[in-house]
Amino acid sequence: MPRPRAFDERQVLERAREQFWATGYAGTRMDDIAQATGLGKGSLYGAFGDKGKLFHRVFGDWCAAVVEVAEGRLAGGPDAEALARLSGYVHLMAENTASDTERRGCLLAKGAAELAQHDPTVAGRSAETMTALLTLLRAEISAAQRHGDIDSAADPERLAALLLTVVRGIEAVGKAGLDPETLRNIADTALAVLPMPEGQKQKRSATRRSPAREN
């Protein structure tokens, strides 16, 4: 009968994530993970497999969390509140990036940039995550169209792709050093260019930024 593990798996994965996040996949050795987690390499291999498998586990958990945050903001609800939900999500992402003073960026973006070309697991998980985010954004855009806050003639798929690109792009330019106010202005501008029916401009301009941040 196998002995129960004498460590907190979630805590180990969090510390491994911090190491990968700080030094990247190629720059991280299993010795580094062992030091960060306090476990011997034998225990790490036995519990999680090699470095690649451990990264896949950490990366998958991160991608799930990215979608969970989006679902928290774009979970659906009254059509009349759809535009506010979209605004809240876009501004949340800008605020998260603005608060990343260490400029570590997003592990999803970092992992995909480093590994997706050669690692089918990372490529597939990244694509799944982007598809899930597109689906959430498209649903809210369609809801805003039904309520008359976004022009019903516009293609919700294209608008969702635009907002997703803006959200992910804010993270990239923030990491590169753009100041927080510029990041917030990017979010404002992206929302302002969503096509609206006649008579909706005043209502759109009244939509305020959401100060909430992701925990």
Side-chain angles (χ1 to χ4, degrees):
M1 181 177 178
R3 292 181 300 175
R5 293 175 181 172
F7 60 85
D8 185 329
E9 181 177 287
R10 179 51 51 190
Q11 184 179 72
V12 169
L13 288 170
E14 288 175 354
R15 291 178 179 176
R17 178 198 67 203
E18 292 296 312
Q19 187 64 51
F20 282 124
W21 198 4
T23 56
Y25 180 78
T28 299
R29 304 169 303 160
M30 285 300 280
D31 287 332
D32 301 322
I33 300 294
Q35 182 175 0
T37 60
L39 294 180
K41 288 195 291 183
S43 296
L44 287 169
Y45 284 120
F48 304 106
D50 60 18
K51 186 178 83 166
K53 290 180 180 177
L54 177 57
F55 182 80
H56 290 162
R57 175 73 180 274
V58 168
F59 188 75
D61 288 348
W62 181 277
C63 289
V66 168
V67 175
E68 183 178 349
V69 168
E71 288 174 338
R73 289 283 173 169
L74 307 172
D79 289 355
E81 299 172 6
L83 184 60
R85 291 192 294 270
L86 283 168
S87 177
Y89 176 67
V90 173
H91 284 122
L92 172 65
M93 296 298 100
E95 289 299 329
N96 284 348
T97 301
S99 66
D100 181 16
T101 56
E102 296 180 11
R103 296 183 186 173
R104 291 196 297 176
C106 174
L107 186 61
L108 168 57
K110 293 177 75 171
E114 184 178 5
L115 297 172
Q117 183 178 2
H118 307 291
D119 188 324
T121 299
V122 170
R125 196 68 180 86
S126 300
E128 289 173 4
T129 303
M130 292 300 129
T131 298
L133 295 176
L134 275 174
T135 299
L136 290 166
L137 288 165
R138 183 177 62 244
E140 294 291 10
I141 289 168
S142 296
Q145 289 177 307
R146 289 193 298 270
H147 189 253
D149 290 324
I150 295 177
D151 188 352
S152 61
D155 185 340
E157 188 75 32
R158 292 187 177 187
L159 294 180
L162 172 64
L163 288 185
L164 179 60
T165 302
V166 169
V167 166
R168 305 310 303 179
I170 285 174
E171 185 272 332
V173 297
K175 185 180 177 183
L178 283 189
D179 63 273
E181 191 58 27
T182 299
L183 302 180
R184 296 180 182 110
N185 288 339
I186 292 170
D188 287 339
T189 302
L191 292 163
V193 301
L194 291 175
M196 66 186 78
E198 290 296 327
Q200 292 298 313
K201 290 185 178 181
Q202 290 184 346
K203 185 175 181 180
R204 176 74 55 81
S205 64
T207 301
R208 298 182 180 275
R209 297 174 180 169
S210 171
R213 291 169 53 188
E214 172 188 354
N215 293 323

